[in-house]
PDB file of all heavy atoms in Angstrom:
ATOM      1  N   PRO A 180    -154.206  62.323 147.068  1.00 94.00           N
ATOM      2  CA  PRO A 180    -153.450  61.134 146.773  1.00 94.00           C
ATOM      3  C   PRO A 180    -151.870  61.354 146.979  1.00 94.00           C
ATOM      4  O   PRO A 180    -151.449  62.372 146.481  1.00 94.00           O
ATOM      5  CB  PRO A 180    -153.848  60.772 145.338  1.00 94.00           C
ATOM      6  CG  PRO A 180    -155.062  61.392 145.033  1.00 94.00           C
ATOM      7  CD  PRO A 180    -155.152  62.720 145.993  1.00 94.00           C
ATOM      8  N   HIS A 181    -151.144  60.413 147.501  1.00 96.00           N
ATOM      9  CA  HIS A 181    -149.828  60.531 147.702  1.00 96.00           C
ATOM     10  C   HIS A 181    -149.253  58.960 148.010  1.00 96.00           C
ATOM     11  O   HIS A 181    -149.863  58.323 148.455  1.00 96.00           O
ATOM     12  CB  HIS A 181    -149.407  61.459 148.782  1.00 96.00           C
ATOM     13  CG  HIS A 181    -148.133  62.031 148.680  1.00 96.00           C
ATOM     14  ND1 HIS A 181    -146.938  61.440 149.022  1.00 96.00           N
ATOM     15  CD2 HIS A 181    -147.656  63.346 148.326  1.00 96.00           C
ATOM     16  CE1 HIS A 181    -145.939  62.192 148.816  1.00 96.00           C
ATOM     17  NE2 HIS A 181    -146.173  63.325 148.433  1.00 96.00           N
ATOM     18  N   VAL A 182    -147.879  58.935 147.781  1.00 96.00           N
ATOM     19  CA  VAL A 182    -147.322  57.669 148.199  1.00 96.00           C
ATOM     20  C   VAL A 182    -147.452  57.621 149.715  1.00 96.00           C
ATOM     21  O   VAL A 182    -147.437  56.509 150.406  1.00 96.00           O
ATOM     22  CB  VAL A 182    -145.802  57.697 147.720  1.00 96.00           C
ATOM     23  CG1 VAL A 182    -145.046  56.438 148.228  1.00 96.00           C
ATOM     24  CG2 VAL A 182    -145.721  57.783 146.214  1.00 96.00           C
ATOM     25  N   TYR A 183    -147.139  58.785 150.395  1.00 96.00           N
ATOM     26  CA  TYR A 183    -147.421  58.852 151.832  1.00 96.00           C
ATOM     27  C   TYR A 183    -148.655  58.247 152.308  1.00 96.00           C
ATOM     28  O   TYR A 183    -148.832  57.513 153.349  1.00 96.00           O
ATOM     29  CB  TYR A 183    -147.227  60.269 152.364  1.00 96.00           C
ATOM     30  CG  TYR A 183    -145.812  60.821 152.249  1.00 96.00           C
ATOM     31  CD1 TYR A 183    -145.553  62.194 152.323  1.00 96.00           C
ATOM     32  CD2 TYR A 183    -144.701  60.045 152.020  1.00 96.00           C
ATOM     33  CE1 TYR A 183    -144.285  62.741 152.118  1.00 96.00           C
ATOM     34  CE2 TYR A 183    -143.558  60.573 151.813  1.00 96.00           C
ATOM     35  CZ  TYR A 183    -143.248  61.934 152.041  1.00 96.00           C
ATOM     36  OH  TYR A 183    -141.967  62.504 151.734  1.00 96.00           O
ATOM     37  N   ALA A 184    -149.835  58.494 151.623  1.00 95.00           N
ATOM     38  CA  ALA A 184    -151.128  58.089 151.958  1.00 95.00           C
ATOM     39  C   ALA A 184    -151.209  56.604 151.801  1.00 95.00           C
ATOM     40  O   ALA A 184    -151.729  55.929 152.642  1.00 95.00           O
ATOM     41  CB  ALA A 184    -152.138  58.774 151.052  1.00 95.00           C
ATOM     42  N   ILE A 185    -150.582  56.106 150.724  1.00 95.00           N
ATOM     43  CA  ILE A 185    -150.618  54.565 150.638  1.00 95.00           C
ATOM     44  C   ILE A 185    -149.868  53.877 151.745  1.00 95.00           C
ATOM     45  O   ILE A 185    -150.372  52.843 152.340  1.00 95.00           O
ATOM     46  CB  ILE A 185    -149.986  54.134 149.306  1.00 95.00           C
ATOM     47  CG1 ILE A 185    -150.868  54.746 148.083  1.00 95.00           C
ATOM     48  CG2 ILE A 185    -149.734  52.739 149.120  1.00 95.00           C
ATOM     49  CD1 ILE A 185    -152.190  53.981 147.976  1.00 95.00           C
ATOM     50  N   ALA A 186    -148.636  54.511 151.996  1.00 95.00           N
ATOM     51  CA  ALA A 186    -147.878  53.859 153.118  1.00 95.00           C
ATOM     52  C   ALA A 186    -148.543  53.928 154.486  1.00 95.00           C
ATOM     53  O   ALA A 186    -148.436  53.017 155.318  1.00 95.00           O
ATOM     54  CB  ALA A 186    -146.454  54.523 153.178  1.00 95.00           C
ATOM     55  N   ASP A 187    -149.202  55.102 154.759  1.00 95.00           N
ATOM     56  CA  ASP A 187    -149.869  55.326 155.947  1.00 95.00           C
ATOM     57  C   ASP A 187    -151.097  54.316 156.033  1.00 95.00           C
ATOM     58  O   ASP A 187    -151.305  53.886 157.145  1.00 95.00           O
ATOM     59  CB  ASP A 187    -150.353  56.803 156.144  1.00 95.00           C
ATOM     60  CG  ASP A 187    -151.002  56.970 157.418  1.00 95.00           C
ATOM     61  OD1 ASP A 187    -150.255  57.163 158.397  1.00 95.00           O
ATOM     62  OD2 ASP A 187    -152.194  57.148 157.569  1.00 95.00           O
ATOM     63  N   THR A 188    -151.759  54.203 154.928  1.00 93.00           N
ATOM     64  CA  THR A 188    -152.855  53.134 154.935  1.00 93.00           C
ATOM     65  C   THR A 188    -152.458  51.723 155.282  1.00 93.00           C
ATOM     66  O   THR A 188    -153.036  51.019 155.980  1.00 93.00           O
ATOM     67  CB  THR A 188    -153.602  53.192 153.597  1.00 93.00           C
ATOM     68  OG1 THR A 188    -154.074  54.477 153.360  1.00 93.00           O
ATOM     69  CG2 THR A 188    -154.818  52.173 153.540  1.00 93.00           C
ATOM     70  N   ALA A 189    -151.220  51.421 154.693  1.00 94.00           N
ATOM     71  CA  ALA A 189    -150.821  49.966 154.953  1.00 94.00           C
ATOM     72  C   ALA A 189    -150.339  50.029 156.462  1.00 94.00           C
ATOM     73  O   ALA A 189    -150.623  48.856 156.964  1.00 94.00           O
ATOM     74  CB  ALA A 189    -149.509  49.821 154.109  1.00 94.00           C
ATOM     75  N   ILE A 190    -149.665  50.910 157.009  1.00 94.00           N
ATOM     76  CA  ILE A 190    -149.481  50.904 158.433  1.00 94.00           C
ATOM     77  C   ILE A 190    -150.646  50.759 159.299  1.00 94.00           C
ATOM     78  O   ILE A 190    -150.796  49.818 160.223  1.00 94.00           O
ATOM     79  CB  ILE A 190    -148.660  52.147 158.825  1.00 94.00           C
ATOM     80  CG1 ILE A 190    -147.329  52.287 158.229  1.00 94.00           C
ATOM     81  CG2 ILE A 190    -148.421  52.212 160.428  1.00 94.00           C
ATOM     82  CD1 ILE A 190    -146.535  53.489 158.344  1.00 94.00           C
ATOM     83  N   ARG A 191    -151.683  51.572 159.037  1.00 92.00           N
ATOM     84  CA  ARG A 191    -152.947  51.477 159.847  1.00 92.00           C
ATOM     85  C   ARG A 191    -153.714  50.102 159.659  1.00 92.00           C
ATOM     86  O   ARG A 191    -154.160  49.673 160.726  1.00 92.00           O
ATOM     87  CB  ARG A 191    -153.805  52.677 159.490  1.00 92.00           C
ATOM     88  CG  ARG A 191    -153.288  53.982 159.743  1.00 92.00           C
ATOM     89  CD  ARG A 191    -154.170  55.203 159.270  1.00 92.00           C
ATOM     90  NE  ARG A 191    -153.683  56.459 159.594  1.00 92.00           N
ATOM     91  CZ  ARG A 191    -153.878  57.093 160.673  1.00 92.00           C
ATOM     92  NH1 ARG A 191    -154.558  56.623 161.603  1.00 92.00           N
ATOM     93  NH2 ARG A 191    -153.305  58.316 160.955  1.00 92.00           N
ATOM     94  N   GLU A 192    -153.722  49.619 158.524  1.00 90.00           N
ATOM     95  CA  GLU A 192    -154.477  48.300 158.315  1.00 90.00           C
ATOM     96  C   GLU A 192    -153.603  47.137 158.977  1.00 90.00           C
ATOM     97  O   GLU A 192    -154.203  46.351 159.446  1.00 90.00           O
ATOM     98  CB  GLU A 192    -154.670  48.099 156.813  1.00 90.00           C
ATOM     99  CG  GLU A 192    -155.585  49.093 156.265  1.00 90.00           C
ATOM    100  CD  GLU A 192    -156.045  48.654 154.802  1.00 90.00           C
ATOM    101  OE1 GLU A 192    -155.390  47.794 154.275  1.00 90.00           O
ATOM    102  OE2 GLU A 192    -156.779  49.448 154.185  1.00 90.00           O
TER     103      GLU A 192
END
Side-chain angles (χ1 to χ4, degrees):
H181 201 288
V182 179
Y183 292 163
I185 294 292
D187 187 74
T188 301
I190 294 173
R191 293 178 184 274
E192 292 185 1

